[in-house]
Amino acid sequence: MPLTTGPGVLRHTDSTLQARLARSARATGGVATSPEQFEKWLAERRAAQLHEVNRVPFAKLRNWSFAEGSGHLVHDSGRFFSVAGLRVEVDEGPVRQWSQPIILQPEIGLLGIAVREIDGVLHLLMQAKAEPGNPNGVQLSPTVQATKSNYTGVHQGRHVPYVEHFAHADPRTVLADVLQSEHGAWFYRKRNRNMVIEIGPDVEAGEDFCWLTLGQVREQLRIDHRVNMDARTVLSCLPGAVTADGSLHTDTEILSWITSNQAVHDVDTTVVGLRDLPGWHQSDRAISHEDGLFFSVIGVDVVANSREVGGWTQPLIEPYGVGVAALLVKRFGGVLHVLLRARIEPGYIDAIELAPTVQGTPENHAHLGGDVHDQLIDVQRRRGTDRVLFDAEMSEEGGRFYHSRSRYMIIEVGDDHPDEEPPGFVWTALPQITWLLQHRHYLNVQARSLIACLHACTD
């Protein structure tokens, strides 16, 4: 049990917290909520939450306009986010120089999951939340998922439930608290605060919320488009085992390898005007690449009955094709290791972050060739020949991306896969990854999603 330090205040030790999380992870049959009750609740929330999304021309976006001079797509309040242009130069890859639209959102968002004990088992307070870009409407989300503009009331809408527990959290109740990046291909240096806090027994689940064990939430990860990106990244930051006996590299060696890759790569990015962006065509309904690849910027009109405001318009990024994010894992001396890659993306704060073994969209790499193209082909072959631990299609962030879908896979390779690490890759033991996730900007959002799924397969 946690150590009590005052009325309603809990202090945790690493060993007791890990034991409590492990017990919750084993409770896949539910405690406070049975699987049947959960499915009934989720179906009811999906039926009750109206969420109508229609594409509209940019001229029909209320309170949005193209700024004079730069041509950036901006909100009249100067808050929320904007869409600008970005010029990029990198030192490796099949394309070394390009321009693209990028989302500027300097605010640090809040992604938080509240937990409490029910009948001696830790439960997570999960939310049924619809986002305009979700392909299926409602997905399981964190307790709180909000930008600073949202939870400070810039939209003049309803209060964000439970946000006060995170905004004023006693440090002694915090289980995880770390800044992490978002998609570096589409956000420019965007960060979210990922939090897990323990609250008292007086906090109840509202209509759109449900108490689930960690094991139940992890079970939902296996279902296509069931757990949203924001919940996955918070889950990945949960503390776990910190010892890495039998790992191929020491913690210091891993940190040195990361720092070396951050230091040696040259990534030059400059925010530029969105108007007349080289390689991109702007119509009254979309900003799209001249080759019809990568992504487009579109406008949507949203009507909702379960959000802080009842309706709004906004731009969204619409990706082209279905992405692939795959982890290859292998056992060395019986210890599971993950093959991570140092990946350059223009929106990272540092030059690189650790990414899945394979990450890309096949259609976008078909005409480029190169290593990623070959890896995408290889991972599809391995999907049929090696042991697949995890395989599900998941949505990316539905508040900024329209029907962004990726196939997430974890494949355990055998002796036919070489032990050697190609340049830019490193075998990392799972406890080392858990340790890295207690710190900012080491693993990208796709890798964090897959680590959350890997725990569902191995814990």
Side-chain angles (χ1 to χ4, degrees):
M1 293 296 291
L3 303 178
T4 302
T5 60
V9 177
L10 303 173
R11 183 184 295 278
H12 304 274
T13 64
D14 289 342
S15 59
T16 55
L17 177 56
Q18 289 171 25
R20 297 168 75 211
L21 288 170
R23 183 179 183 185
S24 183
R26 292 191 297 268
T28 55
V31 178
T33 308
S34 70
E36 295 76 19
Q37 289 171 325
F38 165 73
E39 292 294 343
K40 181 176 182 292
W41 168 81
L42 186 61
E44 290 173 347
R45 299 334 303 152
R46 284 179 167 164
Q49 290 192 19
L50 168 68
H51 215 75
E52 182 180 340
V53 182
N54 294 300
R55 294 177 184 240
V56 296
F58 292 127
K60 295 290 187 182
L61 293 179
R62 300 183 298 277
N63 304 119
W64 292 84
S65 60
F66 290 99
E68 292 186 13
S70 69
H72 293 177
L73 187 51
V74 299
H75 193 267
D76 293 349
S77 68
R79 301 288 296 274
F80 298 107
F81 66 97
S82 60
V83 182
L86 192 70
R87 185 172 62 241
V88 185
E89 293 184 26
V90 299
D91 64 348
E92 72 171 26
V95 179
R96 304 294 180 91
Q97 187 177 41
W98 72 91
S99 297
Q100 66 169 88
I102 197 87
I103 297 174
L104 303 182
Q105 190 171 348
E107 298 178 349
I108 295 177
L110 175 59
L111 308 176
I113 294 178
V115 305
R116 58 167 279 202
E117 277 198 0
I118 300 176
D119 292 339
V121 178
L122 277 182
H123 282 67
L124 288 66
L125 186 59
M126 304 301 294
Q127 179 180 183
K129 187 179 182 71
E131 294 281 3
N134 287 352
N136 65 333
V138 170
Q139 296 186 14
L140 272 185
S141 308
T143 316
V144 172
Q145 175 186 320
T147 66
K148 188 174 182 179
S149 292
N150 288 142
Y151 67 77
T152 57
V154 172
H155 50 46
Q156 298 181 335
R158 294 193 297 269
H159 170 72
V160 176
Y162 305 105
V163 70
E164 63 278 4
H165 296 285
F166 296 88
H168 308 292
D170 186 310
R172 293 168 293 182
T173 68
V174 174
L175 279 60
D177 191 357
V178 59
L179 292 177
Q180 299 287 10
S181 63
E182 283 214 39
H183 291 75
W186 298 325
F187 278 105
Y188 191 63
R189 302 181 177 178
K190 172 71 170 68
R191 299 180 296 167
N192 287 319
R193 187 179 182 184
N194 289 237
M195 297 185 71
V196 181
I197 63 168
E198 184 161 6
I199 56 180
D202 56 318
V203 180
E204 299 294 341
E207 187 176 48
D208 289 326
F209 298 81
C210 184
W211 290 110
L212 299 173
T213 66
L214 180 57
Q216 286 179 294
V217 175
R218 286 177 172 174
E219 287 287 306
Q220 299 306 307
L221 288 166
R222 297 182 177 276
I223 302 174
D224 290 358
H225 304 292
R226 178 61 67 89
V227 180
N228 81 354
M229 184 210 80
D230 298 300
R232 300 192 304 264
T233 180
V234 178
L235 289 170
S236 76
C237 296
L238 281 169
V242 294
T243 58
D245 294 338
S247 59
L248 293 178
H249 303 285
T250 67
D251 295 348
T252 301
E253 288 169 349
I254 293 291
L255 285 179
S256 178
W257 183 88
I258 295 170
T259 303
S260 175
N261 276 276
Q262 290 172 338
V264 301
H265 286 296
D266 294 323
V267 182
D268 184 20
T269 59
T270 306
V271 176
V272 298
L274 186 61
R275 183 176 291 116
D276 301 322
L277 197 64
W280 295 81
H281 171 70
Q282 184 170 324
S283 69
D284 62 341
R285 286 182 170 267
I287 303 171
S288 303
H289 193 267
E290 60 189 8
D291 293 335
L293 298 174
F294 309 118
F295 63 91
S296 297
V297 181
I298 63 171
V300 296
D301 186 296
V302 184
V303 177
N305 67 350
S306 59
R307 298 293 294 270
E308 292 80 22
V309 294
W312 68 93
T313 60
Q314 69 170 95
L316 288 175
I317 297 285
E318 181 183 29
Y320 177 80
V322 178
V324 171
L327 278 183
L328 298 187
V329 302
K330 187 174 183 177
R331 296 185 184 275
F332 294 89
V335 177
L336 189 71
H337 283 68
V338 176
L339 188 60
L340 295 173
R341 179 175 192 171
R343 178 180 173 89
I344 293 172
E345 291 189 359
Y348 293 154
I349 289 177
D350 295 311
I352 63 98
E353 291 190 10
L354 300 184
T357 320
V358 182
Q359 180 185 325
T361 302
E363 295 90 338
N364 292 336
H365 288 273
H367 71 293
L368 295 175
D371 291 344
V372 175
H373 174 260
D374 296 341
Q375 292 157 8
L376 287 165
I377 294 174
D378 179 66
V379 80
Q380 292 299 333
R381 176 186 66 80
R382 290 190 176 278
R383 195 176 171 192
T385 60
D386 289 299
R387 183 187 177 204
V388 178
L389 302 181
F390 185 90
D391 188 351
E393 187 175 284
M394 295 181 169
S395 311
E396 305 304 331
E397 214 281 308
R400 298 293 178 265
F401 312 137
Y402 184 76
H403 291 190
S404 178
R405 301 178 295 136
S406 295
R407 173 61 59 179
Y408 280 84
M409 293 178 281
I410 302 172
I411 301 173
E412 185 169 0
V413 298
D415 293 337
D416 67 309
H417 192 283
D419 295 349
E420 294 77 15
E421 298 159 330
F425 291 80
V426 63
W427 287 111
T428 312
L430 188 54
Q432 292 176 314
I433 296 173
T434 301
W435 172 66
L436 288 173
L437 284 168
Q438 307 306 304
H439 307 275
R440 65 181 69 181
H441 308 154
Y442 281 141
L443 269 71
N444 76 357
V445 69
Q446 290 90 345
R448 297 197 304 273
S449 281
L450 281 164
I451 294 305
C453 298
L454 183 58
H455 281 295
C457 302
T458 58
D459 284 2

